[in-house]
Amino acid sequence: MAAQVAKPVPVETQHEDMIHDAQLDYYGKRLATCSSDKTIRIFNVVKGEAKGEPAILKGHTAPVWQLAWAHPSFGSILASCSYDGRVFIWKEVGQGQGKGSGGTCRTVNSIAWAPYDLGPILACASSDGKISVINFQNDGSTDASVFPAHGTGANAISWAPSVLSTPAASATKQPATSQANLTTQKRFVSAGSDNLVKIWAYEEEAKKWVEEEVIRGHEDWVRDVAWAPNIGLPGMYIASASQDKTVLIHTRPSPTSPWTSTQLLPSAPDSKDPHFPDAVWRVSWSLAGNILAVSCGDGKVSLWKEGVGRGWECVSDFSS
């Protein structure tokens, strides 16, 4: 049965060029948008609608590609990345005002904040193929780790949940109330123009990021990647979207299992052709991690859910 989708509410952003990203904050009270007009606009959201005049943030000198809100425990902080090669960190300093600071590298395509319990950590993917992981210290200083990830360009990045659920190691009888072991992990996944998806893990002893896994399957640039939130189950899910017009769901039932990939079938049940009508640009999981939104180059957004014994099914689609 098709999922019920609320009627879309248009927002007059007043941007003067193409909009590349739109992000709601943690509480859904603010909407930030960015554009090729080099600006960022922040709206107050009341009952699902943007109200009043936006706060306009200026500082980038080229199109702004992506935005990311930090967890509210760190304050009202927004990160932005741009074609100008800079990442800006914006902090609210007064009603409707923002203050930005930034660093420079090659064109930055994607940014993502780590889960808040890992601390204020921002990962950045750049067109020179490098990934930068920036730690923000309490004294205002930063500690950056930069390493090569994708030879022809890194396009997207997404953090794994900070808590990993693993089955109990002992096979002895346990009380009915016993649960799986919970361990902290510091991992993220990246996507590149080399057609690859890579998983990176932080080695505490060596104090460095290492390549843990390489996942193949796409035949063209991987445009986006998203690691599903964890709701306490041992399994892990990663979605990847590609220029080859396909979406792959990569799954791992347990930390010791290999990753397996499944193609979404947009024409099912009539056809098993895995190709969408156009290149697939973005994938995004729901907060519970059980519904995947897929944004295609033809302007349509589709919602997918894993059916019991039936694989992944499209439960709704609509024009964006």
Side-chain angles (χ1 to χ4, degrees), residues 254-265:
S254 72
T256 57
S257 304
W259 286 92
T260 59
S261 301
T262 302
Q263 294 176 321
L264 296 188
L265 304 176

Side-chain angles (χ1 to χ4, degrees), residues 199-217:
I199 296 174
W200 304 86
Y202 188 72
E203 286 191 350
E204 293 291 347
E205 292 185 3
K207 302 295 182 184
K208 67 176 183 179
W209 290 91
V210 296
E211 180 185 291
E212 188 177 71
E213 195 91 30
V214 177
I215 302 176
R216 294 173 169 83

Side-chain angles (χ1 to χ4, degrees), residues 68-71 74 77-79 89 111-115 119-123 136 159:
W69 288 99
H71 190 273
F74 304 121
I77 294 176
L78 178 71
I89 307 298
I111 49 177
W113 290 100
I121 305 174
L122 184 70
F136 295 86
W159 287 86

Side-chain angles (χ1 to χ4, degrees), residues 27 41 48 85 94 110 123 134 153 189 197 231 252 265 272 301:
Y27 296 112
R41 296 169 191 252
S110 181
I134 307 169
V189 60
V197 171
I231 56 174
R252 191 181 196 181
L265 304 176
K272 292 187 177 182
V301 176

Side-chain angles (χ1 to χ4, degrees), residues 1-6 291 301-305 310 313-318:
M1 184 174 68
Q4 295 296 318
V5 178
I291 296 179
V301 176
S302 54
L303 302 181
W304 295 77
K305 188 172 184 178
R310 300 192 303 272
E313 300 174 319
C314 180
V315 294
S316 182
D317 64 83
F318 51 93

Side-chain angles (χ1 to χ4, degrees), residues 7 28 36 72 101 128 138 152 201 221-222 246 262 277 279 282 284 287 320:
K7 183 179 179 180
S36 283
S101 61
D128 59 2
N138 292 331
T152 54
W221 288 17
V222 186
T246 68
T262 302
R282 298 291 287 271
S284 179
L287 290 177
S320 60

